[in-house]
Amino acid sequence: MQDLLSTIEAPVEIVPGRKLAAKAAALYAAPFDHFETRPVEELRLGFDGIVGDFHAGATRRSGGREPWYPRGTEMRNERQLSLVAADELAIVAERMGIAEIKPEWIGANLLIEGVPNLSMLPAGSLLFFKGGVTIKVDAQNGPCRIAGRSVAENAGMADREAGSLLFPKAAKRLRGLVAWVEKPGTIRAGEEISVRVPEQWIYRG
């Protein structure tokens, strides 16, 4: 029996959970009719997300990221918030040959400081804000051509179509995270965050 268990467990590596200290360096919100955001001093969060925001809602319509559903299927909204990191955006900008990518160009809501490789935080990670809000990471935010076109336009790229196509390649695994509200309240710019990264199971077999 012991040999059998050893064989079963061999392909699995368990990575212990850990805690990280971070900060909400800047906050952004979008009007109800457009995904690009603008800087704000605070975000009021309910269970539906940011009050009045373009991505607010308990549910959303499926798109290209959910090919297992017919496009437009109503589903749970796990994409209420978009989180990015300045160091990752700088890498993407360099790859695209532009000076910068501002978080608001790609619809970000929170600019997070203090978490190395932010985009690699696993699903289920919890961000506890000092003021009482908790948000939960759903997944990496896959880069798309819509955000790419916004980058190309705002950066003044000569060939905007080429820029929109380049962004998904340049921003792969650097586009940040999407998250949803687990415990509502108000987040303020500069607020401290305690990040709880859960234990992970990595399958090698």
Side-chain angles (χ1 to χ4, degrees), residues 105-135:
W105 295 353
I106 56 174
N109 301 119
L110 291 100
L111 181 67
I112 304 296
E113 285 185 356
V115 179
N117 305 306
L118 176 75
S119 294
M120 302 307 289
L121 273 184
S125 295
L126 289 164
L127 280 69
F128 297 95
F129 291 78
K130 189 174 183 179
V133 169
T134 305
I135 64 174

Side-chain angles (χ1 to χ4, degrees), residues 55-70:
H55 287 107
T59 64
R60 66 179 180 87
R61 299 291 178 179
S62 64
R65 292 184 173 89
E66 299 83 29
W68 45 87
Y69 296 133

Side-chain angles (χ1 to χ4, degrees), residues 32-103:
F32 72 93
D33 60 348
H34 199 281
F35 92 99
E36 287 189 31
T37 52
R38 53 195 174 199
V40 294
E41 287 301 311
E42 65 178 32
L43 294 174
R44 291 184 295 121
L45 306 181
F47 286 115
D48 287 353
I50 302 170
V51 176
D53 187 80
F54 181 77
H55 287 107
T59 64
R60 66 179 180 87
R61 299 291 178 179
S62 64
R65 292 184 173 89
E66 299 83 29
W68 45 87
Y69 296 133
R71 187 177 288 268
T73 299
E74 188 175 19
M75 58 179 286
R76 179 178 295 281
N77 183 11
E78 78 298 338
R79 300 176 60 84
Q80 295 174 343
L81 297 158
S82 169
L83 288 60
V84 298
D87 57 341
E88 293 184 333
L89 293 184
I91 294 171
V92 180
E94 183 179 5
R95 290 177 177 178
M96 294 184 69
I98 57 179
E100 64 175 345
I101 295 177
K102 293 185 178 181

